[in-house]
Amino acid sequence: MNALIRPAFRPLNQLKQLKSKGFTLVEMVTVIIILGVLVLGVSSFLILGTRIFIDATSVDRVMSQSRFAIERMTRELRNAVPNSIRVRDSGDGAWQCIEMMPITSSASYMDMPIAPASAANIGTAMQSSASAPLTADQFLLIYPLSPADVYTSGANTQGKLFSIDSVTANATTNDLTIDFGRGIRFDEASPRQRYFGVQGAVSYCFEQVTTELSFLKRYAGYGFNHPNLQPAPADMGTGVLMAENVVNTIARNSPMAYTPGTLRNNAMVHLNPLFDVQGQTFQYHHQVQVINVP
C-alpha cells in the first residue's frame, strides 16, 4: 500500500522555477515608468523638431516673399518715366503708396509739333526696340519735368502727354509716322529728342491691417488720374498681395521715402520695410537710384 502512495509535494528547485516564470507588480510598474519616460523624451524631441521645421519654413517663406517684392519694386522703379515717381500717405498711418509710370517703349523723335510751332496731328520718330514697340494703344510723352506732366488724361490739345490714334512704320527706313487724330502741340522739346511710350501707372502700397501689421500690395490697370492728387488704395481697385508680415508703424517709421532728382543727382527711392515672423525681425535698407532722364 505504501508503494502506491505518491508524495503530495514538489521539490524546492521546481517551485523556484515556477515562480521565476512570472512578473511581480513592482517589476511591471518599473517597466511602465521607464517606458513612459522614454516615450516622453522621444515625443518631446519630435515635437521640438517639428516646431523648429515649421518656424524655419515660415521664416524662409516670408524672406523669399519679401525679397521678391523688393526686387519687383526695384525693377519697376528703375524703369519708371523720369519725374513720374511720387509718394503719398494717408496722414493717419493707415497706408503709404508710391506711384510711378513704367516706360513701355522709348526712342528718339525726329519731328514733332512742339511750341512755338503750330499744332499738327502728325509726328515722326524712330522705332523703339522690337520687344517693346510703340503702338497705338500707348500715350506719347515728351520731356516730363514733374508728376503733373505725366498724370493727365492725354486727351487735351496742348501739353506733354497725348493719346495716339495710329502708328505706321516705313518699310524702308523703319521710321514711324505717328497720327494723333487731332491737332496737338507739345509744350517743350526734349534736349535729347527722347520720347516715352506709356500705358498706365503702377502703385505699391503699404496698408496697415492692424496696429502692428501691414501688407504690401501692387496696383495697376487703373489708368491715369489727377495730376496733383495721387490716388488712395480704395481708388485703384483690387491690389495684388506682394508681401505680408510688415510691422512698420507707418506714421512713425515710414517704409518708403523719395528724394527727387536735381541737376547734380539722380532721384533716389529709399525702401525700409520691417518684417516680423515667429518673433524674428529683419529690416531692409535698400536704395534705388532712378537714372532715367527726360
Side-chain angles (χ1 to χ4, degrees), residues 11 15 54 73 82 92 138 193 212 232 250 254 258 264 286:
L15 292 176
I54 293 174
M73 290 181 68
D92 59 358
Q138 299 176 26
Q193 290 190 288
E212 298 180 352
I250 296 175
S254 173
Y258 174 58
R264 295 186 178 183
H286 187 61

Side-chain angles (χ1 to χ4, degrees), residues 69 89 135 170 219 223 254 271 280:
D89 60 68
T135 57
N170 187 307
Y219 293 87
S254 173
L271 302 175
Q280 302 182 42

Side-chain angles (χ1 to χ4, degrees), residues 83-89 95 99 145-153 224-232 235:
N83 302 309
S84 69
I85 297 174
R86 55 184 182 178
V87 176
R88 179 190 175 193
D89 60 68
W95 52 265
E99 186 177 35
L145 297 178
S146 68
D149 297 333
V150 178
Y151 299 101
T152 62
S153 65
F224 296 87
N225 46 71
H226 194 281
N228 299 317
L229 182 61
Q230 185 177 344
D235 301 325

Side-chain angles (χ1 to χ4, degrees), residues 10 26 33 49 54 56 68 119 132 138-140 159 167 190 197 209 216 237 251 273:
R10 296 175 182 269
V26 174
I33 292 174
I54 293 174
F68 169 78
Q138 299 176 26
F139 294 79
L140 196 71
V167 177
S190 168
V209 181
L216 173 62

Side-chain angles (χ1 to χ4, degrees), residues 124-137:
T124 57
M126 298 177 63
Q127 178 61 283
S128 182
S129 64
S131 60
L134 182 69
T135 57
D137 60 342

Side-chain angles (χ1 to χ4, degrees), residues 272-290:
N272 305 297
L274 176 65
F275 293 87
D276 180 272
V277 55
Q278 300 294 337
Q280 302 182 42
T281 60
F282 55 94
Q283 186 170 20
Y284 288 88
H285 296 283
H286 187 61
Q287 294 182 342
V288 183
Q289 188 176 24
V290 185

